[in-house]
Amino acid sequence: MIVGIEGTVERRDPTFVHLNVNGLIYEVQVSINTSNVIQEKRVKLFVTQVIREDANLLFGFMDTNEKKMFDTVLKINGVGPKVGLAICSTFTPSTFAKVVASKDVSMLKRVPGIGPKAASRILVELADFIVDGNEESGNSGALGEAVMALESLGFKKDAIQKALSGCSGDTSTLVKEGLKKLQRL
């Protein structure tokens, strides 16, 4: 599995770069955000490799958070690499985390290839998406842990999200509050 690539930029377009690695030129699909950051002739990218029947594709990112965001959205049923790259081109990781946290369907529908149903599904699946290095990660981490704890008890993710919306505190407090509210649902 290829996880990184370093080479000389032979050609750069808004959606891909050709990297010369010791005489072998790779085409790496990139987001518009990554393409705009590439200024030097020599570049190092974090890579996600997607192998399909008909293609072996490389998707490169300058930022590890952007790669994490891409990898996370790829796990959602119905979201492929093309839509994942469109999400990465439309939002920075921190902006995307805010869109997910606020459950803003209209913002997510701005991404080419995402309609209202897909946007809703993505927001439900990614309710606990966290960007590394975010100042609010303490609270978001506790929320993510509480969601996982309640899921392990057999509760559905959408019911957990309803129960925990507006709650704050450490993991144990969130789990207790969630259990109280889930009993009433």
Side-chain angles (χ1 to χ4, degrees):
M1 187 62 82
I2 298 172
V3 295
I5 190 166
E6 185 174 356
T8 308
V9 177
E10 293 285 320
R11 180 176 175 199
R12 184 185 80 161
D13 274 9
T15 58
F16 69 87
V17 293
H18 288 171
L19 286 181
N20 186 334
V21 181
N22 298 327
L24 191 59
I25 300 174
Y26 293 93
E27 182 172 278
V28 182
Q29 307 295 319
V30 294
S31 70
I32 292 171
N33 292 334
T34 294
S35 181
N36 289 337
V37 173
I38 297 173
Q39 299 299 324
E40 303 293 319
K41 197 73 174 147
R42 186 127 181 102
V43 69
K44 180 178 180 181
L45 298 173
F46 301 101
V47 172
T48 295
Q49 182 179 20
V50 176
I51 301 172
R52 298 190 317 217
E53 260 182 46
D54 59 341
N56 185 354
L57 306 170
L58 298 176
F59 297 90
F61 308 95
M62 292 290 282
D63 180 24
T64 55
N65 281 327
E66 190 175 25
K67 180 184 182 311
K68 176 187 172 191
M69 182 170 92
F70 179 78
D71 293 340
T72 304
V73 297
L74 278 188
K75 294 175 186 170
I76 299 170
N77 191 18
V79 176
K82 189 182 252 186
V83 172
L85 211 53
I87 291 171
C88 290
S89 293
T90 306
F91 301 112
T92 63
S94 58
T95 306
F96 185 66
K98 289 175 188 167
V99 168
V100 171
S102 65
K103 297 181 179 14
D104 194 345
V105 174
S106 62
M107 280 293 284
L108 201 52
K109 287 192 316 188
R110 292 181 182 179
V111 177
I114 295 183
K117 284 183 181 178
S120 298
R121 186 174 62 243
I122 289 169
L123 290 176
V124 168
E125 296 267 342
L126 296 181
D128 54 352
F129 178 75
I130 303 165
V131 176
D132 295 339
N134 191 348
E135 302 84 47
E136 304 166 68
S137 64
N139 190 26
S140 298
L143 184 62
E145 289 173 4
V147 168
M148 285 191 288
L150 292 169
E151 279 182 327
S152 69
L153 293 172
F155 293 103
K156 299 279 185 219
K157 196 166 194 160
D158 55 341
I160 295 169
Q161 294 306 321
K162 286 180 189 174
L164 292 179
S165 66
C167 294
S168 63
D170 64 346
T171 304
S172 62
T173 306
L174 288 170
V175 171
K176 289 175 189 171
E177 284 294 314
L179 285 170
K180 284 178 190 174
K181 289 183 179 179
L182 285 166
Q183 287 176 339
R184 288 183 229 138
L185 290 177

